[in-house]
Amino acid sequence: MGKIIAIANQKGGVGKTTTAVNLSASLGVAEKKVLLVDADPQANASSGLGVRLAVEEDTIYEVLIGEAKAKDIIRSAGLIDLLPSHPKLSGAEIELVSQIAREHKLKTALSDVTADYDFVIVDCPPSLGLITLNTLTAADSILIPIQCEYYALEGLSQLLGTIRMVQKHLNPDLRIEGVLLTMFDKRLRLASQVADEAISYFGEKVYDNIIPRNVRLSECPSFGKPVILYDVQSKGAKSYLKLALEVIEKQETHHEEKRSRRGRPRKEALAGGGV
């Protein structure tokens, strides 16, 4: 079963889509099978991979309202697979309101395809609306990008409150995958202050790797490519490759801990002469 990681922060411009696209591609380079789910009506993750759909084509919108199956609209996007979006997705916020189990629509839709992937990365919209709630209900964990700029941590309490609400009522297994510092400029004292604040607040949840402010990361979406295919030698590409390795290492450590917990009772029984 693939791990579902939601990339979310209700603030815009913090690097959510950049991270969704480039982390997914970097995991693909690391020979992991990855599905990127574009759950943002802006559809920037789709266009960033060179996929632009006409309004009559099926997208995640049709999946959420029950008119299409996820497996039927997933398409190859080079290193990874993509469940594409379209601006019409914005209508789902209204259409889902009256539906039963509305917060579980994405979880149900992805249940048929998750087993085919090592990672399912979901790019969330910059809001805490019904689409984001669907994503957090479906996800195993949430990755929070924080830009190293003024007001970076402002509003995070609202996001953390939403996470706690989802854990209590919709998805008790949801956890914070990690906090990613983005748009870091080592020349600016403010960037270091924000990084220190984030580490002070989130501790070990903050990834060791920090994403720098990088021109290549800004340019590559206009060419419909992840940065690793646009300029593999750039600082941005190297940073996301390192992040992917961190994510993989964390996943492997988590699996080892689970195996250890499952095996401990049997070992103790054997040691004590049990059957």
Side-chain angles (χ1 to χ4, degrees):
M1 181 69 72
K3 183 175 188 179
I4 303 176
I5 302 176
I7 299 181
N9 189 328
Q10 78 272 23
K11 285 178 66 67
V14 300
K16 284 191 303 297
T17 300
T18 297
T19 296
V21 170
N22 291 294
L23 172 59
S24 297
S26 295
L27 288 169
V29 167
E31 298 186 343
K32 298 297 181 181
K33 190 160 177 54
V34 182
L35 172 65
L36 173 57
V37 178
D38 188 352
D40 188 344
Q42 297 177 84
N44 289 334
S46 299
S47 62
L49 289 171
V51 177
R52 297 178 185 272
L53 301 183
V55 67
E56 66 272 11
E57 295 183 84
D58 286 344
T59 66
I60 190 174
Y61 168 73
E62 282 75 19
V63 172
L64 287 177
I65 64 173
E67 292 184 358
K69 299 283 189 182
K71 62 182 179 181
D72 295 331
I73 66 169
I74 289 173
R75 57 181 63 202
S76 175
L79 296 168
I80 62 174
D81 286 348
L82 172 70
L83 181 54
S85 185
H86 186 275
K88 61 185 173 182
L89 177 61
S90 57
E93 290 277 1
I94 299 172
E95 294 183 48
L96 290 176
V97 167
S98 60
Q99 295 195 20
I100 297 173
R102 60 191 181 187
E103 297 91 352
H104 294 268
K105 297 298 182 182
L106 183 61
K107 181 177 182 178
T108 301
L110 293 179
S111 62
D112 291 339
V113 300
T114 307
D116 297 332
Y117 297 93
D118 298 307
F119 292 95
V120 177
I121 308 294
V122 188
D123 184 27
C124 296
S127 72
L128 295 177
L130 196 48
I131 295 175
T132 298
L133 280 179
N134 260 268
T135 300
L136 298 184
T137 301
D140 297 302
S141 60
I142 176 172
L143 189 158
I144 306 172
I146 298 177
Q147 82 277 36
C148 295
E149 296 180 354
Y150 197 55
Y151 293 139
L153 301 178
E154 189 174 275
L156 269 185
S157 59
Q158 188 180 358
L159 174 60
L160 296 176
T162 299
I163 293 172
R164 285 191 290 270
M165 183 274 289
V166 171
Q167 289 171 327
K168 183 176 181 180
H169 299 287
L170 298 169
N171 183 2
D173 296 323
L174 180 67
R175 63 186 182 85
I176 295 178
E177 177 76 16
V179 175
L180 178 66
L181 299 172
T182 64
M183 305 179 195
F184 183 80
D185 188 338
K186 63 182 180 181
R187 298 170 299 179
L188 301 179
R189 183 179 175 186
L190 176 62
S192 296
Q193 290 175 339
V194 170
D196 290 341
E197 265 190 82
I199 293 169
S200 174
Y201 189 85
F202 289 102
E204 293 182 356
K205 290 293 185 183
V206 179
Y207 287 106
D208 293 334
N209 187 63
I210 296 175
I211 308 301
R213 186 173 288 281
N214 181 249
V215 174
R216 293 292 186 256
L217 283 174
S218 301
E219 292 175 345
C220 62
S222 63
F223 291 87
K225 295 179 179 181
V227 70
I228 198 165
L229 295 181
Y230 179 65
D231 186 352
V232 70
Q233 294 299 325
S234 66
K235 289 182 179 180
K238 292 176 180 178
S239 294
Y240 275 109
L241 278 171
K242 291 177 182 177
L243 174 64
L245 294 177
E246 267 195 90
V247 170
I248 292 168
E249 183 178 352
K250 183 177 290 190
Q251 174 75 339
E252 291 174 347
T253 300
H254 181 63
H255 283 326
E256 285 296 326
E257 290 174 351
K258 285 180 69 175
R259 281 195 290 267
S260 176
R261 285 196 296 269
R262 284 199 300 266
R264 194 175 301 126
R266 176 167 174 78
K267 289 178 181 177
E268 290 171 356
L270 290 171
V275 178

